[in-house]
Amino acid sequence: MNDLNFSEIEQLSKKMRISAIETGFKAGKNSAHFGGALSAIEILACLYGEIMDIDPKNLDKPHDIFILSKAHGVLALYTALAHKNFFPLEKLETFETNESDLSGHLAINPEIGIEFSGGSLGMGFSQGIGICLGWRKKNIDKKVFVLVGDGELDEGSNWEAAMSAAHFKLDNFMVIVDKNELQLDGSTDEVMNLGDLAKKFSSFGFETRECDGNNISELHKNISELLENKNSQPKALIAHTVKGKGISFMENKVEWHHAALNQKLYEQAMQELGAEVK
């Protein structure tokens, strides 16, 4: 991958972060899950901007699948889909309004690239494995990427799924952990210490790596190299991120897991992003 491609993905991530702030602000008193969306922006930009084999004009044909298991991080996914032409940017303005299909948690709508509903944490991991097993029967050679939150890994269903992925040798399956170390009730270490996640996934039979999850070049390098290894192992990437990344008053603040932006803070956020206040 050349520097131009990296530059394009960096620009995509910047546009996505600005759109996430604008979209969440317009939701008003309904508020939004800012923290966990902003931590995942670079991950989504890298997947949709370069790595995934998916064309918004040909969604009826076999393609790579992305599942946002931490479904409250919808602003990251919605902005990726909008900026990659799965639906018009203007549609973001309907976020959390009555009868909108851009809800606060994912609601399935394959026509605009949302292929799985979400809400209850711990479900996306198993959904991804089911897809891979179905594809095996149909000889479909595509990949499944599942993004989970580190707090979400408190759910035992994830570890049952991890055993299955290794047992069935699903080397076209990748789980990416958005390890921002905060969840609704506090730090992940305080709520449920997960220990060394890389060692855990490795012990479950995954080929595992760690990287800076807010760094495009590191993400691309590690995801690409994991995918190149056809070794009958599922893949795991522990992406170390910052909750609320990019906005000074949100970074590493648990209160911005879900909150509303007032006009003053919205203007400050846009200024920090070098964006025009609309």
Side-chain angles (χ1 to χ4, degrees):
M1 184 177 186
N2 59 41
D3 290 340
L4 177 60
N5 293 125
F6 278 127
S7 176
E8 290 175 352
I9 299 175
E10 290 282 4
Q11 288 302 312
L12 173 61
S13 70
K14 290 178 182 179
K15 291 176 182 178
M16 288 169 57
R17 186 165 272 110
I18 291 168
S19 290
I21 293 298
E22 290 177 336
T23 302
F25 170 66
K26 290 177 181 177
K29 64 181 180 180
N30 290 331
S31 63
H33 288 91
F34 286 105
L38 294 175
S39 65
I41 290 287
E42 282 76 16
I43 297 170
L44 272 291
C46 204
L47 291 175
Y48 279 91
E50 166 71 19
I51 288 174
M52 289 178 59
D53 178 17
I54 184 169
D55 180 355
K57 296 179 181 179
N58 292 291
L59 292 175
D60 57 335
K61 296 181 180 179
H63 55 267
D64 290 347
I65 294 288
F66 173 76
I67 298 175
L68 183 65
S69 190
K70 46 169 283 180
H72 55 284
V74 290
L75 286 177
L77 179 55
Y78 291 158
T79 58
L81 293 172
H83 283 284
K84 293 304 293 183
N85 302 313
F86 286 79
F87 58 79
L89 277 169
E90 293 75 21
K91 189 177 180 69
L92 290 174
E93 297 179 6
T94 71
F95 174 66
E96 290 204 340
T97 58
N98 289 338
E99 300 184 10
S100 172
D101 46 12
L102 301 186
S103 55
H105 284 76
L106 292 173
I108 188 169
N109 189 343
E111 292 183 359
I112 60 172
I114 302 170
E115 301 184 274
F116 292 88
S117 297
S120 299
L121 295 173
M123 304 301 291
F125 209 139
S126 296
Q127 289 176 325
I129 289 167
I131 295 167
C132 288
L133 291 173
W135 280 351
R136 179 174 289 177
K137 292 179 179 293
K138 297 179 180 180
N139 294 313
I140 295 174
D141 183 21
K142 295 296 176 183
K143 301 175 183 67
V144 173
F145 300 86
V146 177
L147 181 63
V148 303
D150 48 357
E152 181 180 7
L153 291 178
D154 294 352
E155 300 288 348
S157 58
N158 292 292
W159 301 103
E160 294 178 32
M163 286 191 289
S164 297
H167 174 78
F168 291 112
K169 302 182 180 354
L170 302 178
D171 64 359
N172 61 334
F173 176 86
M174 179 180 292
V175 60
I176 301 174
V177 181
D178 180 4
K179 194 175 188 302
N180 61 39
E181 301 186 6
L182 286 174
Q183 57 194 97
L184 178 61
D185 296 322
S187 76
T188 52
D189 283 351
E190 293 172 339
V191 176
M192 182 65 66
N193 195 320
L194 294 166
D196 190 327
L197 279 179
K199 286 185 178 178
K200 270 192 171 68
F201 274 101
S202 294
S203 71
F204 272 74
F206 281 66
E207 182 181 359
T208 309
R209 291 195 176 201
E210 297 185 75
C211 77
D212 180 346
N214 295 127
N215 183 294
I216 295 293
S217 61
E218 284 196 30
L219 281 166
H220 190 279
K221 176 180 184 294
N222 283 278
I223 294 173
S224 297
E225 291 180 356
L226 282 170
L227 295 175
E228 288 170 2
N229 294 335
K230 300 295 184 180
N231 53 10
S232 299
Q233 286 182 278
K235 319 300 181 186
L237 180 64
I238 315 303
H240 296 272
T241 63
V242 175
K243 193 149 188 166
K245 176 68 176 178
I247 309 300
S248 62
F249 58 85
M250 292 185 184
E251 288 191 353
N252 292 314
K253 299 291 194 302
V254 70
E255 56 266 32
W256 283 99
H257 177 88
H258 185 267
L261 269 175
N262 60 33
Q263 182 70 33
K264 181 179 179 180
L265 289 178
Y266 163 68
E267 291 179 4
Q268 180 181 338
M270 294 295 278
Q271 182 179 22
E272 290 182 8
L273 295 175
E276 179 184 353
V277 174
K278 297 181 180 180

